[in-house]
Amino acid sequence: MKREHLTAISVHLAATWTVGSAIVFGLGPLLLATLWAGRNAILLGATALAILLSALLMAALGHAARTVQPLTSTRRGLLGWTASVYTFGTAGAATLIFVMALSWEGPFGAHITAALCLLLGFPYAVTAAFLLPNKALRWTTLAVAAVTLASAWYTARQANRPLTDQEWLAEARTPAALLRVGDAPGYALRSSAATDTSYAALYTRPGHQPLTLRISRTDSEGNSATTPNCYGTIAQTMHCTDDGAGRTLVTYLAPTTHKPEALRELRLRRDGLVLTVQFRTPEDLTTARHILTTLHRITPDALPPRLAPCPSATPC
């Protein structure tokens, strides 16, 4: 097969791929919008218009490719080619969307949307390649299709799997010096947050309010580890008392935009870090003291299990 002919075939398949992606992502939202409108007449009209425009676009593409696709040289052949590519391509794209919707659990970010946009044109190109007269190209097309779909499935599965604790910390760029926990007998310990400046863990116990341990280079108000223990904003009303051993007990006396009502914090500054235990009831003060007293470093391998992510409809 001549090089020029191979180039023409490649251009034809690439154009079919592009047009297929445009059909799905250009006309798909139109159908969804009319479906949400709830009017059957408008939906039927929009569906008919979408099919007509898509078929005309695909027919124009097939007519332009008549030099590499002899089937489209006649009117009957062009009609059959258009119907085949459009039908099987759309069915393949719909199958990919269905499988993705069932298997994908995370949000559809920009990179996932872009990858899906490119992938949905693939069934159209595969159908067009399978209709080429060269038998070797048909088998090559099937092999390429199988490899591409397997690669896409593997990539989606890897992107959708939960991060390990080590990957979670690496993604958050959390320094090892911030990984510290204290003991609280009777409480279950879970990692709740990690950033490049802080690490937080949640202590839970049935029938009790949770306690939150936060290790950070700066606190939630942006104060550094050298700032005095008692501080706040104009909107906060607080009472600070010396708790001994360098600790300060802070009680928020009024609700603010930053802190809930009756929140208490036991603060300690040590080793250039701000160590804070947040709790709500006075009875938990002893537990908060014990957590700070027994605070020790941990390795990523000994990290407490992470909290399950909040459902999208539930505020975290």
Side-chain angles (χ1 to χ4, degrees), residues 283-308:
E283 293 77 14
D284 289 329
L285 176 58
T286 302
T287 303
R289 289 171 179 161
H290 191 68
I291 291 174
L292 290 183
T293 302
T294 58
L295 208 62
H296 59 277
R297 289 194 178 190
I298 56 174
T299 62
D301 294 334
L303 197 71
R306 282 177 290 150
L307 287 173

Side-chain angles (χ1 to χ4, degrees), residues 1-266:
M1 186 178 294
K2 294 183 178 180
R3 184 175 181 180
E4 293 80 6
H5 192 58
L6 283 176
T7 301
I9 291 177
S10 300
V11 171
H12 166 58
L13 297 181
T16 306
W17 190 320
T18 304
V19 169
S21 297
I23 288 174
V24 177
F25 275 87
L27 300 178
L30 173 63
L31 295 179
L32 290 177
T34 54
L35 179 61
W36 289 333
R39 296 186 177 182
N40 294 333
I42 297 179
L43 177 60
L44 291 175
T47 302
L49 179 62
I51 294 176
L52 177 61
L53 292 177
S54 302
L56 290 175
L57 187 61
M58 197 62 69
L61 181 64
H63 180 71
R66 60 189 180 278
T67 56
V68 296
Q69 179 55 275
L71 181 62
T72 62
S73 300
T74 64
R75 182 176 299 179
R76 184 177 180 180
L78 179 60
L79 180 61
W81 182 91
T82 301
S84 299
V85 174
Y86 181 74
T87 301
F88 289 104
T90 303
T95 302
L96 289 175
I97 293 176
F98 180 74
V99 171
M100 180 67 75
L102 288 181
S103 60
W104 188 263
E105 298 178 357
F108 271 54
H111 62 293
I112 297 298
T113 303
L116 186 59
C117 178
L118 291 176
L119 187 61
L120 292 182
F122 183 68
Y124 295 89
V126 169
T127 305
F130 195 75
L131 293 175
L132 291 170
N134 192 304
K135 185 178 294 186
L137 279 177
R138 294 181 182 178
W139 288 107
T140 302
T141 298
L142 292 177
V144 171
V147 172
T148 302
L149 291 177
S151 301
W153 175 82
Y154 177 79
T155 302
R157 183 178 179 182
Q158 289 297 107
N160 197 34
R161 69 173 177 83
L163 295 176
T164 64
D165 290 340
Q166 287 73 19
E167 290 171 338
W168 180 57
L169 292 176
E171 188 176 81
R173 299 181 180 179
T174 305
L178 299 180
L179 301 181
R180 307 181 184 208
V181 296
D183 299 330
Y187 283 81
L189 181 58
R190 296 288 186 271
S191 298
S192 59
T195 68
D196 58 344
T197 60
S198 67
Y199 167 74
L202 189 69
Y203 293 79
T204 59
R205 184 178 182 179
H208 290 71
Q209 293 283 351
L211 291 84
T212 301
L213 169 66
R214 189 168 185 268
I215 315 294
S216 60
R217 300 191 186 280
T218 59
D219 54 40
S220 58
E221 302 296 341
N223 298 283
S224 68
T226 58
T227 306
N229 272 342
C230 196
Y231 54 83
T233 64
I234 296 176
Q236 292 173 328
T237 302
M238 60 177 59
H239 178 67
C240 300
T241 56
D242 185 3
D243 193 62
R247 300 184 301 265
T248 299
L249 176 61
V250 182
T251 304
Y252 292 89
L253 304 177
T256 71
T257 56
H258 302 288
K259 305 288 182 181
E261 187 175 3
L263 178 69
R264 294 170 174 84
E265 292 183 350
L266 192 61

